[in-house]
Amino acid sequence: MSDRATSPTDSVILVTGATGTTGSRVVSRLAGLGHAVRAAGRRPVAPGDTRAVRFDWYDSATHADALRGADRMYLIPPIGEPDPAAVMLPFLRQARTGGVRRAVLLSSSAIPAGGPAVGQVHSLVAELFDEWAVLRPSWFMQNFTGQQSHADSIRTEGAIMSATGEGRIGFIDADDIAAVAVRALTDPSAPNTDLVMTGPEALNYDAVAAVISEVTGRPVSHRPLTYEQMRDRLATGMPEEFAALLAGLDRAISEGSENRVTDTVERLTGRPARSFRAYAESAMR
């Protein structure tokens, strides 16, 4: 299977979170393939961009314009929301009634259907839509660049802080996630399943720090924290309940929950997933 999507149609594909890490990449790929895209977000994608529409999960007045004419949609849950299902359900029902037939949800490899937070949305999407997919990527490689928390601690403290211990993670490039999302949105048949996605290797944070050090020429280490230390550190910038959830995921990683590699990217796009070293050499030099 190639990375080329099916031919464009007259339908509109709605992309929520269109300025975010995966949403922006999905918009770019879809537009490049000639699909009609509606880029929805709380701030414009670009001044004067006719594809852009204001969208806020917490403001129902923005929902109708986002959905107008759409029959497929890419869903990014509200960031930091401990109960995204309660926030998203009215919109999902409105979308279903309004003619959206296919929904592709971004979730997490750590959270199965029926699990906490976005795991509840996973179940709703499967129940409400005849055509659907739930993308369950592992941790993003982009967490180590840009304005992300790990990137910030690398810049300011020369360290990655986590409660993962020696646990391994199949870090994945957001470009690979976007490529799979485009296939899930545009292929003639929807996956109608969840897709656990990883990079080609599982690494612990010590190995990640070593690669970053080699690529950048600056010493970077992994500084292990306890669950409580990680929870309290995260809680300085997000609701305590969500901080506890994320710290709990770190603890699960330390117990081996993310020590796996899947072939999802290559199986759906026809090309192998990008390695962390290749990403680092491209993004960190």
Side-chain angles (χ1 to χ4, degrees), residues 110-125:
I111 304 177
V118 73
Q120 298 297 311
V121 186
H122 181 151
S123 297
L124 290 172
V125 166

Side-chain angles (χ1 to χ4, degrees), residues 17 22 26 45 61 65 70 77 80 92 97 116 134 147 156 161 181 187-188 208 226 243 249 278 280:
T22 66
V26 171
V45 174
D65 282 346
L92 296 178
T97 301
V134 175
Q147 301 305 310
T156 59
M161 267 75 83
D187 278 351
V208 167
T226 65
L249 295 180

Side-chain angles (χ1 to χ4, degrees), residues 241-254:
E241 185 177 356
F242 195 63
L245 172 65
L246 293 181
L249 295 180
D250 264 21
R251 182 164 57 189
I253 290 168
S254 74

Side-chain angles (χ1 to χ4, degrees), residues 32-127:
L33 291 166
H35 292 279
V37 184
R38 181 161 300 128
R42 286 180 296 177
R43 54 187 175 88
V45 174
D49 189 339
T50 58
R51 300 173 305 185
V53 62
R54 184 175 177 274
F55 176 82
D56 188 333
W57 284 113
Y58 299 97
D59 183 359
S60 60
T62 67
H63 295 178
D65 282 346
L67 287 169
R68 187 170 291 112
D71 75 339
R72 287 165 288 173
M73 59 185 182
Y74 180 63
L75 300 166
I76 306 291
I79 304 299
E81 170 59 54
D83 188 10
V87 176
M88 296 174 70
L89 181 56
F91 177 82
L92 296 178
R93 287 176 171 160
Q94 184 178 354
R96 171 71 179 185
T97 301
V100 173
R101 59 183 175 83
R102 185 179 301 191
V104 176
L105 170 70
L106 181 69
S107 181
S108 165
S109 61
I111 304 177
V118 73
Q120 298 297 311
V121 186
H122 181 151
S123 297
L124 290 172
V125 166
E127 291 170 7

